[in-house]
Amino acid sequence: MIVTTKQLFELAYGKYAIGAYNINNVEQCKGLFEGCLALGADGKVNWDLAAPFIIQISKGARSYTNKVFLEGLIRAADEIYPDAVFAVHLDHGDEKTCYDCIESGFYSSVMIDASHEDFDGNVATTKRVVDAAHAKGLVVEAELGQLGGVEEHVQVSEADAKLTDPEQAKEFVKRTGVDSLACAIGTSHGAFKFSGTQGLHFDVLAEIQKRLPGFPLVMHGSSSVPQDEVERINAAGGKLAGAKGVNADEFAQAAKLGVTKINIDTDGRLVWTRVHREYFKNHPENFDLRPPGKIFIDEYAKFITAKNLKLGSSGQLKAVRKALGL
Ligand code: G3H
Ligand code: 13P
Ligand code: ZN
């Protein structure tokens, strides 16, 4: 069942965060649904672990898979897994793509990322998208401050990354009417987040929450880049020396400070890379895509179930369904 992120945030605020996972293909889609429902070998939902979630679709995914394919995949998954409750969200949209998603009638939420514009420009662009989205019943996430790393249409060096200014955050929300805000609190996209002992700026997050009590905040760039995963990838021929991510044990603290959505994409790519590198290293004679594909779906589902435990969304699906009258 597709719902808005706003409906999920109202139930989660201050208690847990919802995992927002990017998908590009059927294997990720299947693994995501099965992981969020914590499906057992018997195909039954494990309600003690089942979680609500957010499917994220980037502009890159829309062109790689084709937006119509992606929509078809998600509609099929909705039918195959009727217990699932999730939002369909455009990740890092530009203005044009936001309008395309708003018009499609399929998405329940869009992100307008005008964080590369100056403050007034970001406000103006975000406000236009908010007005268009709200008129059609969709909700909007925007970004203020700049994360390091590479995003779809912006590349930000570590030196240029700017943490979100709490006073500006308050003014931004007031002027735009946006429904949630992605804040830069020290993370960056990709597998190389920290070069030393840097970490999350909970002080900045606390200041933002003080000025925007009850308002849903979003944390991008939240992959953990597990070191055992990196080691296995490198042992099977990869070259990811020095990759480092966010400590997933810190998600709970972030959730208490108003973070309701935590974005994770890179970690899923690492699962994919490990499974396929190991499979073909161990089976050099094979060329069937399905055996590693099947291993990936199962491994990805396990990874998602484990991540939801860290987010605190694990085991919340039953209560969410009840609260939404499902
Ligand atoms: O923040 C970006 C997400 O990881 C999506 O990546 O634009 O390569 O699909 P992508
Ligand atoms: P990661 O690169 O840390 O997975 O972040 C994903 C993200 O923020 C998607 O918007
Ligand atoms: Zn992001």
Side-chain angles (χ1 to χ4, degrees):
M1 167 94 185
I2 300 175
V3 299
T4 65
T5 45
K6 191 183 168 95
Q7 286 171 290
L8 297 178
F9 295 162
E10 277 164 7
L11 298 168
Y13 189 89
K15 292 182 282 213
Y16 59 91
I18 318 268
Y21 302 104
N22 293 66
I23 68 160
N24 296 267
N25 63 15
V26 66
E27 288 83 4
Q28 280 181 310
C29 184
K30 199 161 185 283
L32 177 57
F33 276 78
E34 294 186 358
C36 284
L37 293 175
L39 286 194
D42 55 1
K44 291 215 172 92
V45 175
N46 180 340
W47 292 100
D48 292 335
L49 295 174
F53 60 104
I54 297 165
I55 298 181
Q56 302 215 107
I57 300 177
S58 71
K59 205 177 153 199
R62 281 162 59 87
S63 67
Y64 167 72
T65 308
N66 185 309
K67 61 184 182 181
V68 184
F69 264 129
L70 276 176
E71 186 175 328
L73 270 181
I74 295 166
R75 284 199 196 282
D78 195 19
E79 198 179 315
I80 296 166
Y81 308 101
D83 295 308
V85 175
F86 56 97
V88 181
H89 174 79
L90 169 69
D91 188 28
H92 292 288
D94 55 27
E95 194 171 358
K96 186 168 170 285
T97 312
C98 282
Y99 295 143
D100 193 52
C101 293
I102 292 166
E103 289 307 315
S104 78
F106 174 62
Y107 289 71
S108 58
S109 168
V110 293
M111 175 188 187
I112 171 67
D113 183 356
S115 59
H116 50 286
E117 295 186 36
D118 65 19
F119 184 74
D120 287 330
N122 191 353
V123 167
T125 305
T126 300
K127 174 95 176 70
R128 284 194 296 277
V129 171
V130 167
D131 289 345
H134 285 181
K136 295 257 180 182
L138 279 83
V139 296
V140 180
E141 171 186 328
E143 181 169 320
L144 183 66
Q146 283 201 287
L147 277 75
V150 183
E151 292 178 9
E152 182 78 45
H153 49 288
V154 205
Q155 182 155 0
V156 187
S157 74
E158 210 175 317
D160 290 338
K162 275 200 267 351
L163 299 187
T164 303
D165 177 293
E167 274 303 324
Q168 277 196 342
K170 185 177 174 189
E171 187 187 337
F172 186 87
V173 169
K174 190 165 169 234
R175 283 173 61 187
T176 58
V178 77
D179 302 282
S180 62
L181 187 67
C183 300
I185 55 159
T187 64
S188 60
H189 291 99
F192 301 88
K193 299 189 191 299
F194 307 113
S195 50
T197 52
Q198 311 94 320
L200 302 184
H201 291 257
F202 285 116
D203 50 338
V204 176
L205 198 53
E207 289 301 316
I208 296 170
Q209 191 195 35
K210 215 186 277 174
R211 287 161 181 80
L212 289 167
F215 186 81
L217 306 175
V218 178
M219 219 166 86
H220 281 246
S222 303
S223 279
S224 300
V225 190
Q227 291 306 291
D228 56 333
E229 199 76 295
V230 172
E231 276 162 30
R232 283 175 72 174
I233 289 170
N234 289 343
K239 278 192 181 158
L240 294 178
K244 213 166 171 190
V246 174
N247 180 353
D249 290 328
E250 296 189 322
F251 291 168
Q253 194 180 345
K256 280 201 196 97
L257 292 171
V259 171
T260 50
K261 173 173 178 276
I262 292 193
N263 288 13
I264 295 160
D265 183 14
T266 295
D267 280 349
R269 296 180 183 201
L270 294 177
V271 175
W272 186 94
T273 305
R274 182 249 304 165
V275 165
H276 289 84
R277 279 200 180 278
E278 286 186 349
Y279 182 83
F280 286 111
K281 184 165 184 267
N282 296 333
H283 303 88
E285 72 291 357
N286 281 10
F287 52 90
D288 185 352
L289 59 103
R290 287 172 299 198
K294 172 76 180 111
I295 297 170
F296 170 72
I297 292 167
D298 293 345
E299 289 291 293
Y300 191 56
K302 270 201 275 177
F303 154 79
I304 294 282
T305 306
K307 200 59 104 173
N308 290 339
L309 270 170
K310 298 284 184 187
L311 293 163
S313 61
S314 191
Q316 297 290 341
L317 182 59
K318 205 170 212 166
V320 165
R321 291 191 63 89
K322 192 164 175 234
L324 298 178
L326 301 171

